[in-house]
Amino acid sequence: MTSALRRIRHAFSSPSAFHQALVLKSSTSILINEDLLPSGPSRQTWTVWNFAAYWWSESWNVSTWSVGASMIALGATIRDALLVVFFANLLSAAVIVLNGRAAARYHVGYPVLSRLSFGVYGQYFVVVLRSILGIIWGGVQLYFEGQFISVCLRCIFPGWERIPNGIPKDQYITTQVMVGFFLAFLCTLPFLFVHTSKIQLLFSIKSVIVPLAGLGIVLWATTANSGVSSEALVNTSTRASNTVFAWGIVAQFNSVMGANSALLVTVPDLARYSKTKNAQLWGQLISLPIAQTLCAAFGVITTSAVLNLYGEAYWNPYDLLNGILDHTYTSKSRAGVFFASAAFAFATLGTSIACNFIPFAADVTCLCPKYINIIRGQIICLVVAFAIVPWRIVATANGFLNFLGGYSIFQGPVVAIMIIDYFVIRHGNVDIHDLFTLSHTGRYHYFHGFNMRAFAAFILGFILPLPGFAASFGHTVGPAATHMYSLGWVLSFIMGGGSYYLACMIWPVQGGDGKLSFESQVANAQVVVLDGVDSMREDIESVGDENVQDISYAEKGARVTGEAV
């Protein structure tokens, strides 16, 4: 503690000392720092259980709870709605496992893996593309967390709702929610000082607490209502024609995929810490579809019962908990709502860390490796998320929210390109050293650092659903464009992946990785991990960027061939 205080005191002793304290010693080029280099054995800590707990816990959130609302409004039955949720998440789980494979084998995250497909300079485009979401949704989730904290305070203090609101109406927030938002900021801050390789306990706790809270709400609702009363919620007579209804269901399937799209891209930032090559496989493939479907079922059942009980459909858990207090402000209801709201506040905190803070931190680590590591990046994300006044975005920026909702059409091609590139084009072979060199002879330098095949495929991926995306802002388009937008993420994924495959068949990538046996280069990468990333950094510095690609580890690799990474 004394040495830490001494370092802090020295850092503030002069501008030059402060700058020196900010510089990361591990950063020796614009492509390298401690969180960009392959994760060593001490950071390969995520087991099958950790991945299962992560995806189980991640499924219990506000958006999943209320996902059935729009499908029920279409006239779908509860069974139809839950089947859509299940199969959309089953597809999501399959994509997540595929996109996490390279990270689990080579122990590098999304920013570094994107160099493989988009080039050492092209990576910055796809990294910024993802980091935008991290900032915006980080703020919005913080606002939602603040709302749940405000409900907790209402349970404790009977006069909470009667506190005078000194905030002008045009700011779209009350004093109560502002206090909750500030407390959410303070509650989130300590968790951001924990590195991703050590954050598993948070998700393990969430995977137990939040489902139990959800179960408690369901039991209360069905007991108070003496049943589910699904007939009060479901009205199949509101269905339009079969064609319109079918396209509505397709759109809702795509909506679920779109809600998961950030996670589909993010998974390498978690899978890189996988303890074994298959730890990320079973934990993710099983947990996500089951947990998402169960959470959605709880939301539908609760909403149906409460609709019959109170005469109003509360799809959002925040509105539901406030509604309970509006109708019955007794000691029992206050205690129950307090624990449920606290659980959902914790759930929202976990969701924000998983979907926003961790990805954004990985991205800015890549954008500014000399000064920012994972922990610093997470704290920057929190500060910026606080500063963007997210309540105004939620209350007034409908067009901007439509933009974020349709943003998945730009992420689908990215995931598809990375999967096709790794499994089909390169047969799972990655030259770990060329990922960290700016040499024009490096195999991931492509054309001035950009893989033009990938960028062409990216554009072709989102071009078909783009007119329908424009229609969400009020422009008029034909039914074909609307239908293609209903296929949004799925269409952009197929078009992006297919276009990239064809481009690579016509203009093959350099290096000959596709001619090697599947993942035969993993052994060479494992040498880097076993010898320590410092050895790789020293090799790069000793030979210079121009000759990095000539470094061979085949002799060392022979002794570890076949071992699990």
Side-chain angles (χ1 to χ4, degrees):
M1 187 67 177
T2 306
S3 60
L5 289 173
R6 194 181 302 119
R7 287 197 301 271
I8 293 172
R9 191 180 298 116
H10 175 71
F12 286 95
S13 62
S14 68
S16 61
F18 184 73
H19 175 263
Q20 197 60 36
L22 291 178
V23 172
L24 297 172
K25 293 187 174 73
S26 60
S27 179
T28 55
S29 85
I30 64 170
L31 300 179
I32 294 175
N33 78 6
E34 64 208 48
D35 286 318
L36 292 173
L37 288 166
S39 303
S42 63
R43 286 189 170 180
Q44 296 169 26
T45 55
W46 282 59
T47 63
V48 173
W49 160 251
N50 295 139
F51 282 106
Y54 171 83
W55 288 107
W56 183 270
S57 70
E58 191 47 41
S59 300
W60 295 87
N61 57 63
V62 173
S63 61
T64 305
W65 183 275
S66 57
V67 73
S70 51
M71 283 180 266
I72 298 297
L74 282 172
T77 64
I78 292 176
R79 183 200 63 185
D80 293 337
L82 295 182
L83 283 174
V84 169
V85 172
F86 176 79
F87 284 109
N89 280 286
L90 189 62
L91 176 59
S92 296
V95 173
I96 284 169
V97 167
L98 291 173
N99 199 33
R101 174 73 180 193
R105 295 299 269 154
Y106 292 93
H107 300 289
V108 289
Y110 170 77
V112 175
L113 281 177
S114 64
R115 298 171 189 171
L116 182 74
S117 303
F118 290 88
V120 291
Y121 292 128
Q123 62 158 333
Y124 295 115
F125 172 78
V126 292
V127 162
V128 170
L129 189 71
R130 185 182 73 159
S131 64
I132 292 171
L133 285 182
I135 283 291
I136 304 300
W137 284 119
V140 172
Q141 292 285 352
L142 197 67
Y143 171 60
F144 290 159
E145 184 184 343
Q147 288 182 308
F148 285 115
I149 292 176
S150 177
V151 175
C152 289
L153 293 173
R154 183 183 177 188
C155 294
I156 297 172
F157 305 108
W160 179 252
E161 287 293 284
R162 295 192 297 273
I163 294 176
N165 180 31
I167 301 176
K169 233 179 189 181
D170 60 1
Q171 295 304 308
Y172 302 99
I173 192 170
T174 64
T175 299
Q176 292 88 340
V177 178
M178 177 61 84
V179 171
F181 180 73
F182 183 70
L183 291 175
F185 176 89
L186 295 179
C187 291
T188 303
L189 184 60
F191 292 97
L192 304 185
F193 286 93
V194 182
H195 193 273
T196 315
S197 60
K198 300 175 182 178
I199 197 70
Q200 306 96 307
L201 183 59
L202 170 69
F203 302 113
S204 297
I205 295 172
K206 180 186 170 186
S207 69
V208 176
I209 290 178
V210 184
L212 289 177
L215 179 61
I217 293 174
V218 169
L219 292 176
W220 165 82
T222 52
T223 302
N225 184 55
S226 300
V228 177
S229 301
S230 60
E231 69 281 354
L233 184 67
V234 178
N235 183 7
T236 55
S237 65
T238 61
R239 284 188 187 181
S241 66
N242 288 337
T243 302
V244 173
F245 176 71
W247 276 110
I249 291 296
V250 169
Q252 293 308 312
F253 182 95
N254 178 72
S255 178
V256 176
M257 294 299 301
N260 291 338
S261 63
L263 296 171
L264 306 186
V265 177
T266 297
V267 66
D269 292 324
L270 302 174
R272 66 178 296 188
Y273 302 112
S274 182
K275 200 165 188 176
T276 65
K277 63 181 180 181
N278 289 327
Q280 65 105 23
L281 171 60
W282 300 111
Q284 298 180 141
L285 193 60
I286 296 172
S287 286
L288 183 64
I290 295 175
Q292 287 256 356
T293 306
L294 191 58
C295 182
F298 279 14
V300 171
I301 292 169
T302 301
T303 303
S304 179
V306 171
L307 174 60
N308 191 62
L309 186 66
Y310 293 153
E312 188 170 352
Y314 294 107
W315 282 104
N316 189 313
Y318 166 76
D319 294 329
L320 169 65
L321 296 171
N322 263 324
I324 294 171
L325 294 178
D326 289 339
H327 286 86
T328 55
Y329 196 79
T330 63
S331 57
K332 271 188 179 180
S333 63
R334 287 163 61 190
V337 168
F338 174 85
F339 288 113
S341 190
F344 270 102
F346 183 63
T348 308
L349 181 151
T351 296
S352 195
I353 289 175
C355 300
N356 305 311
F357 294 115
I358 289 175
F360 178 85
D363 291 340
V364 293
T365 296
C366 155
L367 296 174
C368 193
K370 186 176 181 180
Y371 298 102
I372 302 176
N373 55 19
I374 292 289
I375 292 176
R376 291 179 183 180
Q378 291 180 154
I379 294 169
I380 290 171
C381 185
L382 178 65
V383 172
V384 177
F386 185 91
I388 63 171
V389 289
W391 51 87
R392 291 187 65 87
I393 294 175
V394 173
T396 64
N398 291 329
F400 189 62
L401 290 177
N402 286 339
F403 171 75
L404 292 179
Y407 202 70
S408 62
I409 68 170
F410 302 107
Q411 293 184 307
V414 174
V415 179
I417 289 166
M418 293 179 70
I419 291 174
I420 293 296
D421 194 39
Y422 182 76
F423 284 96
V424 181
I425 305 303
R426 304 184 189 278
H427 288 187
N429 293 298
V430 178
D431 189 306
I432 203 72
H433 293 90
D434 277 1
L435 288 174
F436 295 94
T437 177
L438 294 172
S439 168
H440 67 276
T441 54
R443 67 185 68 194
Y444 310 125
H445 194 270
Y446 301 111
F447 177 75
H448 298 290
F450 295 85
N451 183 2
M452 303 311 294
R453 308 166 192 80
F455 281 96
F458 171 75
I459 294 171
L460 290 172
F462 71 74
I463 202 72
L464 288 180
L466 187 62
F469 177 56
S472 66
F473 297 94
H475 300 286
T476 303
V477 297
T482 303
H483 293 337
M484 281 191 286
Y485 184 58
S486 296
L487 290 166
W489 185 92
V490 176
L491 181 61
S492 67
F493 179 86
I494 293 172
M495 287 297 298
S499 300
Y500 185 70
Y501 174 77
L502 289 176
C504 290
M505 292 300 99
I506 299 171
W507 300 285
V509 296
Q510 67 184 60
D513 293 332
K515 298 176 182 177
L516 302 175
S517 58
F518 186 68
E519 293 184 339
S520 61
Q521 294 299 304
V522 169
N524 292 347
Q526 187 176 1
V527 172
V528 175
V529 177
L530 292 176
D531 288 356
V533 293
D534 286 338
S535 65
M536 188 181 83
R537 189 189 297 111
E538 289 166 5
D539 286 332
I540 291 175
E541 290 174 347
S542 65
V543 299
D545 265 346
E546 293 298 318
N547 299 312
V548 166
Q549 69 281 359
D550 296 326
I551 300 172
S552 174
Y553 281 80
E555 187 176 334
K556 289 182 178 180
R559 60 184 168 87
V560 293
T561 300
E563 293 182 14
V565 177

